[in-house]
Each structure stands twice: as C-alpha cells, then as structure tokens.
Amino acid sequence: MTAQEAVRIVVVSDLNGSYGSTTYGSDVHRAIRATIALEPDLVLSTGDMVAGQRRPHLSEAEIRAMWRGFHNAVTDPLAAAGIPLAVTPGNHDGSAYPGFELERRIYREEWLARRPDLAFVGPDTYPFFYGFDIGPARVVSLDATRVGHLDPAQMDHLSSVFRGAGPTRIVFSHIPLWPFAINRETEIIGDPELESLLERVEIDLHLSGHHHAFYPGFLDAFSVVSQAELGGGARRLIGTRTRAPSAITVLDIMPDGAIRISAFRAPDFTTPVDIDALPPKLVTRDRVIRRLDRVPSGDVGLARP
C-alpha cells in the first residue's frame, strides 16, 4: 500500500451483547461477511468488542472466553480474508476505570498477540494510544474509555504524532468528543482544549463509538463520525424519535487524501443509510454538530449512491 493508491477502510463498533456473552448476534456475522465482500484494506473497531465492565466482576476465565468468541466471529474471518484489524479500547473491553484492571490487562494481551502488520509511527503503546500510516493517511488511536478529558501524556503524544504525516489525518476513539445520542449527552470527552489541539495538528476526521448511532458531522475545522452499533442497544440521535439502525461505516480515501464516507445498514449491510433522513444538525448545550453535507468540509465528504 502506497500513498498513490486509494484506500478503503471499514469501521465497526459496539459489537458486544449482554454482560459476559461469548456469542455474537446475526447482525455481527452479516456485517463481517458484508465487510469482507467490500475488500477493504483495513478494518477499524471503535471499541466495545466484548461485554465486560460487569459488577460483580467477571473472572479471568469468563473474560478469556468472551475474547475467544470475538475472535471466532470477527478477528479470525477478517484474518482469513487477509484484512488487518486495528482496534481502540472501549469501556466494556478495556476500561480504565478503577476495578477493571484485569479486563484491561487481558485486552492488552489479546491484542499484542494479534498486532496487525501495519506501518506504525510515533509513540507506541499499542493497543491503546498508537499511530500508523496506510496509503495517504495517518491514523491514530486514542485511549478514551472514560468520560472526561484525556490524560496529559496522550495530549503530549497528539502534539507530535502527526509530524511528517501525509495529507489525510484520522483519529479514532471509543468515547466521542461531543454528544450524538439521546440520554448519552454527558458520556463524552467534552474537552475544548482537545478539540483545539486536533485543529492545530490539522486532523480531517474523528471517528467514535459508544453512542450507538451513525451520524456524519462537522465541527468548526474537522469532520466527526459517530458509528452505529452491531451488538444491540441502538439509540436515538439527538432530535429524533426512532432508534438508529445497525450499520457499518466505509471510508474511501483517494490518492490525493480526500475522504468519501458512506454507511450500510442492517439487515444485509449493503443498503445505504439514508443520509437525508438524518437531522441537519445535532444541538446540545455543549456543541452543535452540523451534518457533513450541509457545510463546506474541505476534503471530507459523503459518497451518495
């Protein structure tokens, strides 16, 4: 893969079922089959791959069984198709909250054993904060499993990790910067200083999970996309009355660095999400997120059928 070739990335999120579950629903299996059929160069997961963070705590045997189930349903089929998988932790699989140190250790061990063959760059605490290059894009994972600001070390890493990057700059994390879904308005990073830093390092796109609803939006200087869920618990976008469908997101990155975003919904994951049915903007006390096609957004746009 070189900067002169187009790159396709599929983004999946929130695949976990109920606490401790070791099997995956039909949407997950259909989504992975549809993903493989798209022949992407990479799959990104924005977290919550297994169903941890339970109280009383799960045992190590239970946690390992969940990961075996995930690898059987997701990691192994992608690997068999020759598709690398890059992950970022979620609150249900690698929580940094006190009391979940075992789950976080196992998360690290599971992914160190399955580290993808990518061109890693910069500070490397894989599978938490890390960066890599693919085609014209530099992609950076944030370790954002807790509500609230990032730790100072990650802020410092972000200040330097995009030096020498190509024309496309993408950041992905589990917790979003700002709200997308009803009743999840406070479950955000919510840090204007982080947004300003992301502007200074000139990112094009931030991808997040956790809010279980697809929305392609734009802030003041870069695009943001909230991912739909695959494992259940779909939520309503702010300003809507119906739950969002399960879906996968597709990023097509052109050789010049331009990004075209599309999404495909359940049950077959080949039917495009109707962008025009999404709210023109999401309004909360923290932020206004405008729909991507309603604003001039530089090199990031929607790929309409």
Side-chain angles (χ1 to χ4, degrees):
M1 183 63 58
T2 70
Q4 285 70 48
E5 297 176 295
V7 173
R8 170 165 285 181
I9 299 174
V10 173
V11 189
V12 298
S13 193
D14 298 274
L15 304 95
N16 58 307
S18 59
Y19 288 120
S21 57
T22 59
T23 59
Y24 287 79
S26 58
D27 276 350
V28 171
H29 294 288
R30 285 194 295 262
I32 295 303
R33 288 196 294 270
T35 293
I36 292 170
L38 288 167
E39 299 183 339
D41 300 287
L42 174 71
V43 172
L44 293 181
S45 168
T46 53
D48 279 4
M49 292 165 277
V50 299
Q53 208 181 29
R54 191 191 74 181
R55 294 184 188 274
H57 296 308
L58 296 163
S59 69
E60 179 162 357
E62 289 172 314
I63 298 167
R64 297 284 187 188
M66 289 194 301
W67 281 113
R68 285 195 298 272
F70 179 81
H71 297 317
N72 287 337
V74 179
T75 317
D76 294 344
L78 293 176
I83 302 168
L85 172 61
V87 302
T88 198
N91 56 294
H92 285 294
D93 48 30
S95 175
Y97 280 111
F100 298 101
E101 290 82 6
L102 175 62
E103 293 185 7
R104 192 166 170 87
R105 174 175 66 80
I106 292 173
Y107 170 89
R108 179 177 180 272
E109 292 171 356
E110 290 289 332
W111 290 111
L112 282 176
R114 294 167 176 81
R115 184 180 174 112
D117 183 15
L118 296 169
F120 288 92
V121 296
D124 184 1
T125 57
Y126 176 88
F128 299 105
F129 183 101
Y130 63 97
F132 59 89
D133 287 336
I134 181 166
R138 179 158 296 176
V139 183
V140 173
S141 160
L142 301 184
D143 181 9
T145 67
R146 295 188 292 187
V147 169
H149 297 188
L150 294 185
D151 57 275
Q154 288 195 81
M155 295 289 280
D156 289 344
H157 292 335
L158 269 174
S159 297
S160 61
V161 72
F162 285 104
R163 291 175 187 162
T168 307
R169 302 176 177 208
I170 298 172
V171 172
F172 69 117
S173 66
H174 185 60
I175 303 293
L177 298 173
W178 303 110
F180 291 91
I182 293 172
N183 295 329
R184 292 297 182 271
E185 289 87 349
T186 61
E187 295 188 16
I188 57 174
I189 297 172
D191 184 0
E193 290 186 13
L194 174 58
E195 183 178 339
S196 295
L197 175 56
L198 294 173
E199 290 181 12
R200 291 198 299 275
V201 298
E202 299 182 324
I203 76 158
D204 299 289
L205 175 63
H206 178 262
L207 305 164
S208 62
H210 194 61
H211 281 210
H212 294 201
F214 172 74
Y215 192 81
F218 190 76
L219 300 176
D220 293 334
F222 58 88
S223 301
V224 289
V225 176
S226 172
Q227 315 311 310
E229 53 75 32
L230 292 176
R235 296 173 185 150
R236 294 176 293 148
L237 287 168
I238 292 164
T240 66
R241 295 184 177 183
T242 58
R243 294 185 182 275
S246 298
I248 58 175
T249 301
V250 178
L251 312 178
D252 286 307
I253 305 173
M254 303 298 110
D256 65 358
I259 305 172
R260 292 295 172 262
I261 300 169
S262 52
F264 299 91
R265 57 172 295 166
D268 55 3
F269 297 96
T270 61
T271 301
V273 171
D274 183 1
I275 301 298
D276 294 322
L278 302 177
K281 60 184 176 181
L282 307 180
V283 181
T284 68
R285 67 179 185 180
D286 294 297
R287 205 66 172 85
V288 175
I289 302 175
R290 294 164 291 171
R291 204 173 73 196
L292 188 56
D293 62 333
R294 294 298 188 98
V295 294
S297 52
D299 290 332
V300 183
L302 298 176
R304 292 180 175 271

